[in-house]
Amino acid sequence: MSIGFSDRVAIITGAGNGLGRSHALALAERGAKVVVNDLGGARDGTGASPAAAEEVVEKIKALGGEAFSHSADVANFEEVQDMVAETQAKWGRVDILINNAGILRDKSFSNMDLADFRLVIDVHLMGSVNCTKAVWNIMRAQNYGRIVMTTSASGMYGNFGQTNYGAAKMAVLGFMNTLALEGGKNNIHVNALAPTAGTRMTEDILPAQIIGLMTQESVSVGVLLLCDEDAPTRTILCAGAGGYATASMFETDGIFLSKADQNPENIRNQWQSLSDTSKNKALLTGGKQTEKFVMKAMANMQS
Ligand code: NAD
């Protein structure tokens, strides 16, 4: 069955450019009513302009879709609340939220001002928190919601010069993990996208030939899946250049040391066994780790 979004209302942050713009057009093309949010600043977050978001709205309307723009700064909760109130007044619901807005302030950690660190956290993490908070109770009351966080390989795996960005992008995954647990009973699914695409964020770090393969559209088809009624929950979908994968965090089974053996030398001596990945498990809640270790300790008591 094909995926469609008629009667669904979607808010996409940072949708004036790049991936957000592409997600907005893809959702509108499949019938969603779209709020095109964008502050309209430069790549480093300076400046503001409604022009880019308005262009996307005009494009959607020209294709026969419904859309309006809102220039809320996602880092400002009052502005975000205003955007959600306008959406409710116009269309009466919010089914989909894509937390996509983002900026870069790259520098090696030794040269990074804390102000640049905080701003990146404010936009990526607090921007996602603000927008989610503003729609959360609406989605709970509707008993329906699909939320997409935008993470990054830079957060999951590291990237020189991006301590601020990497920390923020990992933080949205922590946010997702618990939100997905809390939203489950109200049919709110929360997932994350780890994209790689040619946009103004990447245009000066990759050769044009490679950028040509990394289309925004190839990433947006993955987002459509995460916005669907049958979307998974708590999945990290990685997408780029027509390649798709999932990313997960696993924990090794580990070892147990009795009280007398609990010293750093023994941990070092058993490093190979404790880091043996053959019995890796993805743990469904934080409590599962406690459970695993306590079970090992109890098994040792009984033996
Ligand atoms: P982009 O710069 O083309 O688009 C980001 C948009 O967010 C811009 O239109 C910008 O005006 C808007 N924005 C920035 N701050 C905002 C704020 N405070 N409030 C509202 N809007 C704001 O970048 P992109 O590459 O399309 O990135 C989109 C998302 O994907 C970002 O979260 C980025 O970190 C993530 N990402 C991109 C790549 C990639 O390869 N392009 C890789 C990993 C993650």
Side-chain angles (χ1 to χ4, degrees):
M1 209 175 74
S2 71
I3 290 177
F5 298 97
S6 48
D7 300 325
R8 296 289 182 207
V9 173
I11 297 178
I12 300 136
T13 70
N17 290 290
L19 287 169
R21 179 179 187 278
S22 171
H23 302 338
L25 294 172
L27 276 163
E29 196 184 317
R30 290 189 182 228
K33 299 181 175 81
V34 173
V35 182
V36 179
N37 159 259
D38 210 290
L39 180 60
R43 188 172 81 164
D44 66 358
T46 53
S49 159
E54 283 168 3
E55 183 269 334
V56 178
V57 168
E58 286 319 309
K59 185 150 188 180
I60 290 172
K61 286 185 175 166
L63 295 168
E66 286 183 71
F68 74 90
S69 65
H70 197 289
S71 57
D73 173 353
V74 292
N76 181 318
F77 187 54
E78 283 71 38
E79 292 182 17
V80 168
Q81 279 182 306
D82 183 74
M83 171 173 71
V84 172
E86 193 176 333
T87 310
Q88 282 282 80
K90 209 170 165 57
W91 292 323
R93 54 189 297 119
V94 182
D95 300 289
I96 295 162
L97 167 66
I98 303 180
N99 287 310
N100 163 82
I103 60 166
L104 290 179
R105 291 269 170 118
D106 293 0
K107 267 186 191 153
S108 65
F109 190 58
S110 58
N111 293 322
M112 189 176 295
D113 292 337
L114 285 182
D116 283 342
F117 203 103
R118 265 196 205 101
L119 184 67
V120 167
I121 297 279
D122 271 351
V123 173
H124 290 273
L125 173 60
M126 291 314 298
S128 302
V129 172
N130 289 335
C131 294
T132 303
K133 182 73 181 165
V135 304
W136 190 250
N137 284 338
I138 296 169
M139 289 182 171
R140 275 165 49 91
Q142 288 169 181
N143 222 30
Y144 189 86
R146 296 290 177 265
I147 298 177
V148 180
M149 307 291 168
T150 307
T151 183
S152 167
S154 297
M156 294 191 295
Y157 312 122
N159 202 21
F160 197 95
Q162 294 196 318
T163 51
N164 51 359
Y165 181 75
K169 289 308 204 186
M170 252 336 241
V172 299
L173 295 181
F175 183 41
M176 169 189 80
N177 285 338
T178 291
L179 269 182
L181 293 175
E182 294 184 7
K185 66 179 180 300
N186 290 109
N187 192 16
I188 304 174
H189 292 199
V190 190
N191 292 289
L193 173 76
T196 179
T199 69
R200 67 182 189 172
M201 262 195 194
T202 48
E203 64 193 357
D204 54 356
I205 53 171
L206 291 167
Q209 204 185 355
I210 290 180
I211 291 274
L213 296 173
M214 296 164 56
T215 66
Q216 296 164 13
E217 293 78 8
S218 71
V219 172
S220 294
V221 296
V223 164
L224 294 181
L225 172 98
L226 298 180
C227 294
D228 181 38
E229 273 184 44
D230 292 330
T233 193
R234 213 180 153 188
T235 296
I236 304 168
L237 177 68
C238 312
Y244 305 91
T246 60
S248 300
M249 188 172 287
F250 297 101
E251 188 164 305
T252 62
D253 187 46
I255 56 159
F256 171 77
L257 295 176
S258 62
K259 196 162 184 197
D261 291 334
Q262 288 168 13
N263 59 55
E265 292 78 13
N266 277 337
I267 296 177
R268 182 178 56 194
N269 293 341
Q270 295 212 38
W271 197 258
Q272 211 173 348
S273 323
L274 81 81
S275 57
D276 172 12
T277 55
S278 63
K279 288 198 219 151
N280 269 5
K281 264 198 189 138
L283 304 180
L284 289 179
T285 63
K288 292 283 173 200
Q289 185 193 61
T290 309
E291 191 180 299
K292 178 181 74 176
F293 286 140
V294 169
M295 296 294 278
K296 277 186 191 296
M298 286 172 67
N300 187 264
M301 272 164 63
Q302 282 154 15
S303 63

